[in-house]
Amino acid sequence: MTEWAGRTAVEIAAAVREKRVTPREAVAAHLARIERLDGRIGAFRVVRSKAALAEADEVAARTDLAELPLAGVPVAVKDNLAVRGESTRVGSAATPDAPAGEDHVTVARLRAAGAVVVGLTNVPELCVFGTTEGVHGVSRNPWDTSRTAGGSSGGSAAAVAAGMVPVALGNDGMGSLRIPAANCGLVTVKPGHGVVPAGIGEGDWFGMSENGPLATTVADARLMLSVLADAGAGIAESGEREPRRIAVSVRSPLLGVSVSGPYVRAAREAAGALTGAGHRVRRADPPYPLSLGVTSLAHWTAGTAVDAQGLDSRLLARRTRVHAAVGRRFLGSVRGGTAREQLRSRLEPFFAEYDVLLTPALARRSPKAGPWHERGWLSNLLVNTNYSPLTPPWNLAGWPAAVVPFGTLPSGAPTAVQLVGRPGTEGELLSLAEQLEELRPWRRTAPLS
């Protein structure tokens, strides 16, 4: 009997369309892996075993099965996006437990393409932080279970890295796709603004949050993003591999935060690989403004202040309450300010000279897994800032950014690089990611027994 858990989404969908496996068989194999592994990983808040098998049978009965791009593919959904019939808890005891009446538009698109939702994945409360833990559990990195999977799409990333699903849906407001992808050795794309429907929380963190895929291969990420994206986004096919002007920068955008050796090395080696592939690669640092740290903090906290409105603050963790309280002081300046427009104007000449920016994905390895939700706000703020300073600028700008596994830490866990482009270059970033995948293939899932 063929083992379907651990296969790519592309492989599973092709096999289902060709009737070499049924959707029920593919889903059941992944549910069995979830049952075996998730007690150690903590990826899921809810596993939809019975419902997923019934929905797999519905997919098998569809008259358009042979045309479905995600036919029978098991997917996991981040627990801040509505899944019909399930509650959306957003990692909190303060959110309502009532089931959603309708799917979020991105979930509906996945289902229309033939995917089967096997569960909802853990997030930190209100998806604030770059570590995933709280009242619904702790999500660990399958490559090193002593460490957090990252956040806020930590449960989704852990599920994919452990082979419990081939792809998962997450979102990114200050790095929430890219941080866990980098920790867990996955491919992701935070699309530019308006490419994929958002509808996250109470206002998408002022338009900074974007929905996107988590996958183990570039082909799977491209496939899932093409399903999620609005028509005409130009993502479905690999672009021409003409030489690109690539800037490589290993400098942290935030003053006082340094990038550790393994991540510097990953970026420099990736730059060397792309140079060897014929691209014009130069060392160049973007003109990050000195005010970037304050701008990032203002938008990060203000987004939480909006999401926390109407919730019983007594049921929120202390770090969340403080984050929201800080953010309330910034709401006026964030809503009426021009900092994001100024950042884009400052960066545009740099991206006129270069097509793509290559950076380390993180500054250092992820923190130890544990009850960060029980610790103070300042300790959470510092650990998040020190390990992920390279992701927030591109949410503020609203431009696309991808993460690709590249290299390893001394522990054997993955390192990763980030690729950033101008609006509309998601396909170009994926093509470069594909070249890196060919030049330096990575092990797709963690070696769990």
Side-chain angles (χ1 to χ4, degrees), residues 127-166:
C127 297
V128 175
F129 294 103
T131 60
T132 294
E133 63 289 301
V135 294
H136 301 297
V138 175
S139 293
R140 299 174 180 273
N141 186 344
W143 292 90
D144 180 356
T145 54
S146 72
R147 301 260 161 198
T148 177
S152 63
S153 305
S156 284
V160 177
M164 292 187 275
V165 285

Side-chain angles (χ1 to χ4, degrees), residues 299-336:
H299 285 76
W300 182 22
T301 56
T304 302
V306 172
D307 284 347
Q309 289 174 358
L311 299 179
D312 186 342
S313 63
R314 295 169 298 179
L315 298 177
L316 295 173
R318 184 172 180 273
R319 67 175 182 178
T320 310
R321 293 199 305 272
V322 174
H323 205 75
V326 171
R328 285 193 288 273
R329 302 174 186 177
F330 287 119
L331 279 172
S333 63
V334 165
R335 283 174 171 152

Side-chain angles (χ1 to χ4, degrees), residues 48-95:
R48 307 178 68 247
S49 299
K50 185 176 179 180
L53 290 171
E55 290 166 17
D57 291 339
E58 292 172 6
V59 170
R62 286 177 58 167
T63 58
D64 60 347
L65 180 67
E67 284 78 49
L68 298 178
L70 291 173
V73 173
V75 301
V77 174
K78 185 176 180 179
D79 191 24
N80 67 339
L81 298 170
V83 172
R84 184 181 64 249
E86 306 290 346
S87 59
T88 310
R89 299 308 304 272
V90 202
S92 182
T95 50

Side-chain angles (χ1 to χ4, degrees), residues 184-367:
C184 296
L186 303 178
V187 181
T188 192
V189 181
K190 178 200 77 68
H193 186 64
V195 173
V196 173
I200 306 159
E202 298 300 321
D204 306 329
W205 278 14
F206 307 98
M208 297 192 304
S209 291
E210 306 292 347
N211 292 308
L214 288 154
T216 64
T217 67
V218 178
D220 275 6
R222 185 188 296 277
L223 173 62
M224 187 170 174
L225 187 60
S226 70
V227 168
L228 295 171
D230 289 331
I235 294 161
E237 299 299 328
S238 179
E240 291 186 14
R241 293 192 175 181
E242 60 187 67
R244 301 293 181 185
R245 301 169 299 166
I246 300 173
V248 57
S249 173
V250 297
R251 173 194 155 200
S252 166
L254 300 182
L255 288 176
V257 179
S258 61
V259 180
S260 65
Y263 287 94
V264 169
R265 184 162 56 253
R268 288 177 175 165
E269 290 181 1
L274 292 172
T275 299
H279 297 284
R280 298 189 292 274
V281 182
R282 299 287 183 272
R283 172 73 186 269
D285 295 327
Y288 300 118
L290 294 177
S291 59
L292 183 61
V294 173
T295 301
S296 298
L297 180 66
H299 285 76
W300 182 22
T301 56
T304 302
V306 172
D307 284 347
Q309 289 174 358
L311 299 179
D312 186 342
S313 63
R314 295 169 298 179
L315 298 177
L316 295 173
R318 184 172 180 273
R319 67 175 182 178
T320 310
R321 293 199 305 272
V322 174
H323 205 75
V326 171
R328 285 193 288 273
R329 302 174 186 177
F330 287 119
L331 279 172
S333 63
V334 165
R335 283 174 171 152
T338 60
R340 294 179 65 193
E341 290 77 8
Q342 291 172 0
L343 176 64
R344 282 190 285 267
S345 297
R346 187 179 179 98
L347 291 169
E348 280 166 357
F350 182 86
F351 280 89
E353 185 174 357
Y354 298 100
D355 301 309
V356 173
L357 170 67
L358 167 67
T359 76
L362 299 172
R364 51 190 39 81
R365 65 178 177 170
S366 61

